[in-house]
Amino acid sequence: MQRLLSSEFVHNYRHNIPAVLGSLLVLAFAFLAIFGPLLVWQDPYDVSQLELMDSFKPPVWLEGGHPRYLLGTDGQGRDVLASIIYGARISAFIGIAAMACSCVIGTILGLISGYYGGMLDAVIMRVADIQLSFPSMLIALFLMSAFGNGIGMILIALTAVGWVVYARTVRGSTLSEIQKEYIQAARVAGLSDTEIIRRHVLPNVLTPLIVVSTIQVGSFILIEASLSFLGVGVPITEPSLGLLVKEGFDVLFSGIWWTSAFPGLFIMFLVFGINLFGDFLRDELNPRLR
Amino acid sequence: MAEPLLDLRELQTHFQTFGGLVKAVDGVSFNVKAGEIVGLVGESGGGKSVIGFSILGLVDPPGRIAGGEIRFDGRDISKLGEREMRNVRGRDIAMVFQDPMTSLNPVYTIGRQMDEVLRLHTNLDEAARRIRCIRMLEDVGISGAESRLDAYPHQFSGGMRQRVVIAIALLAGSRLIIADEPTTALDVTVQSQILKLMRRQVQETGAAMILITHDLAVVSEMADRVVVLYCGKVVERGLTEEVIRSPAHPYTRGLLDSIPRITDRQRRLRQIPGTVPDIRTLGAGCSFRGRCAHAQPLCAERSPELAPVRGSLDAACHFPLQETL
Amino acid sequence: MTQPVLDVRNLVKSFTVGDGIFDRLRFTGGKLLAPPKVVNAVNSVSLSIAPGEVLALVGESGCGKSTVAKTIARIHAPTSGEIRIDGKEVSCLNQKELRPVRRELQMIFQDPYASLNPRQRIKDIVIEPLRAQSDRRMSSSDIDAEAIKLLARVGLNAEQANRYPHQFSGGQRQRIGIARALSVRPKLIIADEPVSALDVSIQAQILNLMMDLRDEFGLSYLFVSHDLSVVHHIADRVAVMYLGFMVETASRDQLFATPRHPYTQALLSAAPNVDKALRKPQAEITGEVPSALNLPSGCCFRTRCPLAFARCAVERPALLPQRGGGSVACHLHDTVPEAFPT
């Protein structure tokens, strides 16, 4: 631990203001998502806790605001802040879970593709090329409207979109790693292909994935928000940030801006923070820039 | 006596790294006269390449020239600005790098890369420049020079590329050529051709050359004088013949002994024990003492100064070796 | 006569180069064909190594010496030919069948920076061949003890066992690579340019270590190098390669005293030397090694050979045994001595 704290990585991090800012943002959001429900007084999805009388209250600093509802309420009297915190949990879960799924699947396919080459490689990479020639939003939209919505479906759709980046990154690093003599040494040592992939190739292709994953979580949260906003995302019983924006959007033009603006701002800062941190990681871990 | 073409005085080049200050070049002094080949020898980490880059003003941050003078033709070029330095580079001082694969730009033809040097540093018109380029390619032994001008670097083999690099270095009539491991990437039969070419070019043009290499055999065949570096310091310098025949510094001796020779009957090589220490943690005393068979308590206390030993030899050693022959 | 540790007969290795199938598509005689572009890296090379013997394979870059080494180590599969290790034919075995063979044959690599996995601890690196052999029945304390023993033998201490490769210098890493090769106590070690990336003073340490280990464990080496002076120190016999062909084999003393092939002579005289007296008038050769994609007709060396004559362009010289031992592939030496038993 002492070694880590005095390392060059930590030193560079502490002198990189955007990186510190980004990670503070991410940490703050993570804290809210994990402990948030303990901090707000209302569970917006427990009907018994809702006061219909309090619907469409503006934020506390505006005329007519109520100190119980810091950021105002929506049409059913739900506290916007509480909705955001509960919604952020769902958004973050979807972003991270989809990242994990596409990371596992993409890495496995990329390793196979890069290590064995030949026909397998050609097939996997052509599928990836086709995949990349469509906007990822379009693919997700198509899958969601064809097979129905729900969190499980969103994960499948996002994984279908996201594995390509991992597969290509891993294949590229695998191709350069297997040229190196330590892979030949492992073969001379008598290791089987699976052992070589697991013990030698995999640990050496992981670093760039950290960067990809960070950025990926951000973009998954955005895609999910867009899908939900378009009405093909999460079900209404498990509203994510995107769905909150959509619901607020319906009443936006009647002057009730807070129900959609605050979830929207929340998404923006969250993704902004993730990307700032991701950029720092990319600069630090990308050996080509060093 | 005429002033030497290049005179390095107590050159200091330091790199500020995360792990501490690295004195890659730590008080190096030597000079080069016109028409002379001086060999800079040492192992990796000795600082020999950094000296080359320092002379050309190509030390990038976190490195910087922290002290000393680089007097070229009587003026200190270490304090020149980038614009003035650009005039010195290419015209007065040229460099031949180790890797002929990467020191040419792959997207331009040989002719264009040669022409660029002449355009920047001479007032010749286009036709004259072309003739000069063709002459120069012929001089470095490239046949069919005229048609080769339109070829791209990848159409040349490694040895041919190094010839082109040398031709470019000589084009503008530079008075000093810094060759950094010019033959390390080449095969031995090609190496001997390139070395011969470089020696001939120096003799014909009267230019001076600094030959940076790890290979004492190359130096002994090429150089008039040798400067041996260890951990950023000059440990020994003198006429090549004297240094090779009876070195005064134990490091030079060790280097010479560890070269495998075809004449040796005995199979075991004499070796220098240990490895090059970390420059950042050297502390006081002689930096070679940890590997030296002759080290005494004094060596740990005081860093030896470079001082005349005998003949042309200067050595930085408290207990220089006696003449062997 | 004792059985050779390594016996290679007529080894051929060719690589298909070039890119995908679409780059090779050609219309030939009205048909669409995709002819494979083939480089013959190794052309019918035969060699054998007796127990305890050091055979050096010498040549310039692109002569196929490393390919020979890596094909024998079965990193590449041979195109044709026989490879017998300790009497066992291995050229057709698959990776799984090769595992027991790895106990007899190990390899040391050229690049000390690329040949160790940067994410593995030193103790895991050196023990890997042994672990692969023992089907993972080793306890971790056995592994540690064995690793420390191996490291100690190559001059590294026990505290260093838990470190990672980047914490070591080039010479130390090469020691680690040697310890790894030693872990299964092989009979034969293939060393592919093991000292060419090292500083001179370190090079001497590694060469001495390799010679000590040979005496201690009765090892045989196939020692691949471009540097004749290094070879002079370690080899018992020398084989010289040029463009995938073996052009001369001889005992060390014979090769250095009386090189017979013009290429061997050129190699010897081109090497720079610190001893002034030894600088011979050079057997000047010009030009560079031609491309293996487009071999010259007849003798491959004729394009650079100062002694080439008409026959060299027509007929490829065979590697023929010579009076006084060794063999040479050159038309100037192709009269088989009468006394030689055929």
Side-chain angles (χ1 to χ4, degrees), chain B residues 43-44 157-160 187-193 195-196 214-218 220-221 241 244 255-256 258-275 291, chain C residues 60-61 169 199-205 207-208 211-212 214 229-230 232-236 252-253 256 266-268 270-276 278-279 282 284-289 304:
Chain B
E43 296 179 286
S44 41
S157 64
M160 282 297 165
D187 279 325
V188 56
T189 55
V190 181
Q191 162 172 293
S192 68
Q193 298 170 28
L195 290 179
K196 225 176 266 173
H214 69 283
D215 191 340
L216 268 173
V218 167
S220 71
E221 292 207 351
E241 219 168 295
I244 299 289
L255 269 188
L256 280 164
S258 51
I259 299 175
R261 289 164 206 234
I262 291 175
T263 41
D264 268 1
R265 294 305 303 174
Q266 124 217 12
R267 292 203 130 198
R268 244 191 116 69
L269 288 158
R270 269 166 294 184
Q271 63 189 44
I272 306 179
T275 52
R291 304 174 72 188
Chain C
E60 293 178 290
S61 54
S169 68
D199 280 324
V200 202
S201 68
I202 308 299
Q203 178 177 311
Q205 294 176 3
L207 286 175
N208 286 341
M211 284 186 278
D212 292 345
R214 175 180 78 148
S229 47
V230 165
H232 181 268
H233 270 271
I234 198 162
D236 299 313
R252 174 187 72 140
D253 292 340
F256 285 92
L267 268 187
L268 273 171
N273 207 307
V274 282
D275 300 311
K276 235 181 179 170
L278 280 168
R279 285 177 212 158
Q282 299 202 352
E284 181 77 35
I285 64 168
T286 50
E288 290 178 51
V289 185
R304 302 172 74 194

Side-chain angles (χ1 to χ4, degrees), chain A residues 188 190 195 199-200 204, chain C residues 99 102 111 117 119 128 136:
Chain A
V188 173
E195 282 172 309
R199 306 237 313 242
H200 293 283
N204 284 294
Chain C
R99 194 174 274 195
R102 307 286 190 202
D111 184 347
N117 183 348
R119 308 270 162 156
E128 189 153 80
R136 284 198 202 86

Side-chain angles (χ1 to χ4, degrees), chain C residues 13-159:
Chain C
K13 174 66 193 169
S14 48
F15 291 99
T16 342
V17 291
D19 330 270
I21 190 162
F22 294 109
D23 300 309
R24 285 185 278 117
L25 279 183
R26 298 279 178 279
F27 271 110
T28 316
K31 280 187 213 151
L32 194 60
L33 295 173
K37 216 171 169 187
V38 171
V39 181
N40 291 312
V42 177
N43 298 294
S44 195
V45 162
S46 302
L47 52 89
S48 79
I49 301 179
E53 188 183 39
V54 180
L55 174 71
L57 208 51
V58 186
E60 293 178 290
S61 54
C63 74
K65 56 189 192 299
S66 282
T67 311
V68 169
K70 288 185 175 170
T71 309
I72 293 171
R74 285 302 314 273
I75 289 168
H76 305 313
T79 307
S80 71
E82 294 166 28
I83 303 168
R84 281 176 209 285
I85 289 163
D86 216 17
K88 187 173 160 58
E89 165 69 38
V90 302
S91 59
C92 300
L93 301 184
N94 65 30
Q95 292 297 337
K96 200 175 168 192
E97 294 163 333
L98 277 169
R99 194 174 274 195
V101 177
R102 307 286 190 202
R103 193 185 289 279
E104 311 299 334
L105 174 149
Q106 281 293 311
M107 186 154 175
I108 304 171
F109 293 86
Q110 170 172 14
D111 184 347
Y113 292 87
S115 62
L116 308 179
N117 183 348
R119 308 270 162 156
Q120 265 187 316
R121 288 178 194 279
I122 298 311
K123 63 175 184 193
D124 294 319
I125 291 178
V126 299
I127 218 69
E128 189 153 80
L130 189 59
R131 208 200 306 245
Q133 291 296 339
S134 62
D135 298 323
R136 284 198 202 86
R137 274 194 301 268
M138 295 176 75
S139 71
S140 72
S141 59
D142 282 356
I143 287 175
D144 284 6
E146 185 63 27
I148 286 165
K149 229 162 71 190
L150 284 164
L151 288 173
R153 184 58 203 89
V154 297
L156 295 168
N157 58 39
E159 297 95 81

Side-chain angles (χ1 to χ4, degrees), chain A residues 36-37 40-45 71-72 78-89 244:
Chain A
V40 291
W41 64 274
Q42 187 192 49
D43 177 353
Y45 304 105
L71 300 178
R78 282 194 287 250
D79 180 16
V80 170
L81 181 63
S83 309
I84 288 177
I85 283 170
Y86 278 77
R89 286 161 71 94
L244 292 180

Side-chain angles (χ1 to χ4, degrees), chain A residues 180-200:
Chain A
K180 295 189 181 158
E181 283 182 335
Y182 72 86
I183 300 291
Q184 299 180 354
R187 194 159 292 160
V188 173
L191 265 57
S192 66
D193 283 345
T194 39
E195 282 172 309
I196 292 177
I197 292 177
R198 194 167 51 81
R199 306 237 313 242
H200 293 283

Side-chain angles (χ1 to χ4, degrees), chain C residues 49 54-58 189-195 207 210 221-227 230-231 234-235 237 239:
Chain C
I49 301 179
V54 180
L55 174 71
L57 208 51
V58 186
I189 289 183
I190 294 175
D192 184 12
E193 300 259 17
V195 296
L207 286 175
M210 285 181 69
Y221 289 121
L222 176 63
F223 189 95
V224 176
S225 177
H226 69 281
D227 188 339
V230 165
V231 161
I234 198 162
R237 280 192 305 128

